[in-house]
Amino acid sequence: MKITVLTLFPEMFAPLDESIIGRARKGGKLDIEIVNIRDFADAPHYKCDDYPFGGGAGMVMLPGPIGLAIKAVDPEHKARRIYMSPKGKVFTQGKVPELLSYGHIVLLCGHYEGIDQRVIDLYMDEEISAGDFVLTGGELPAMIVCDCLARHVEGVISDESLTDESFSDGLLEYPQYTRPAVYEGVAVPDVLISGNHAAIAKWRREQSLELTRKMRPDLLDGKS
């Protein structure tokens, strides 16, 4: 899986060199390419934004540097090109298999008041949002997509971890416990230390349903 990120602030992606994703990158299981859009702007100032036509607050990213960057990283338009935008469809776990199927995706991070609409019309395949809120730029949403996809790349984490977690079966994950068996006077549920795997599975299913009813009833859709 290859993910190319186009951004004005490549230093923001340093966290992707750490922990599980960092190990996956170093081990060659995942290719995340961070590209600085300013490298495609004109010297000596490498300007990438200007005032919006029609007036208004803030600045808009210029189409020229972005277009050159896109053509450089995906010259034949073989990748899925995605603009991280609050106007896009909200990213969910259900989107993950589709994005993985492309093999190579390009994530464009807007900033300031956004990007020139012509970039979206000419070069983008779709727009994706991290949620119904507005951030200062697309870098954090792009990292969310990178992290979510990375977990499903073969060999990055165990198959068991992927199948037994929130949203894997449309429910929220059951509570987890570890040592000590009693902490601050609160004990681990007896069933989890009973050794009865059938009872444990039943308890976990019941807990998942209870949590989902409480926290996200919209996910149930007839489940019982």
Side-chain angles (χ1 to χ4, degrees):
M1 179 70 189
K2 181 175 182 178
I3 304 173
T4 300
V5 180
L6 306 181
T7 174
L8 292 175
F9 302 97
E11 61 276 7
M12 289 185 66
F13 291 87
L16 297 183
D17 289 325
E18 305 299 328
S19 189
I20 294 171
I21 297 181
R23 291 195 297 271
R25 295 177 72 184
K26 291 173 184 175
K29 297 181 177 68
L30 178 66
D31 182 4
I32 300 180
E33 175 188 31
I34 310 298
V35 176
N36 192 340
I37 296 171
R38 293 189 192 279
D39 291 341
F40 299 87
D42 293 333
H45 302 295
Y46 301 99
K47 183 177 176 63
C48 287
D49 61 295
D50 209 333
Y51 294 103
F53 282 122
M59 307 289 277
V60 176
M61 289 176 63
L62 297 167
I66 300 174
L68 290 174
I70 292 170
K71 292 173 185 177
V73 302
D74 183 31
E76 298 180 5
H77 198 163
K78 292 183 177 181
R80 184 69 171 178
R81 300 171 177 178
I82 300 165
Y83 174 42
M84 305 307 303
S85 162
K87 295 184 293 183
K89 291 184 178 180
V90 175
F91 182 62
T92 66
Q93 193 70 29
K95 184 72 171 178
V96 171
E98 177 193 336
L99 295 186
L100 287 173
S101 72
Y102 294 116
H104 181 198
I105 64 172
V106 175
L107 302 178
L108 172 60
C109 303
H111 221 82
Y112 313 121
E113 292 301 311
I115 66 174
D116 189 295
Q117 180 65 35
R118 290 168 291 186
V119 170
I120 300 171
D121 296 340
L122 290 170
Y123 300 118
M124 294 293 105
D125 295 311
E126 63 178 309
E127 299 181 52
I128 288 180
S129 169
D132 293 336
F133 47 83
V134 179
L135 301 172
T136 56
E139 284 76 16
L140 291 176
M143 278 189 274
I144 289 172
V145 173
C146 288
D147 189 294
C148 194
L149 294 182
R151 301 178 71 257
H152 291 265
V153 172
E154 185 177 358
V156 174
I157 64 175
S158 70
D159 291 340
E160 183 179 5
S161 293
L162 293 175
T163 57
D164 204 14
E165 62 182 0
S166 290
F167 308 111
S168 60
D169 63 352
L171 300 176
L172 301 183
E173 188 178 13
Y174 48 79
Q176 297 279 13
Y177 297 88
T178 186
R179 293 179 177 85
V182 179
Y183 174 71
E184 297 284 350
V186 181
V188 172
D190 290 337
V191 66
L192 296 180
I193 54 178
S194 68
N196 186 332
H197 297 295
I200 291 171
K202 181 175 181 292
W203 179 88
R204 286 175 168 171
R205 175 72 179 181
E206 290 171 349
Q207 290 295 309
S208 288
L209 283 166
E210 182 178 338
L211 279 171
T212 306
R213 287 192 189 100
K214 179 180 178 181
M215 308 295 289
R216 290 291 305 276
D218 56 296
L219 295 175
L220 285 174
D221 191 25
K223 292 184 175 65
S224 59

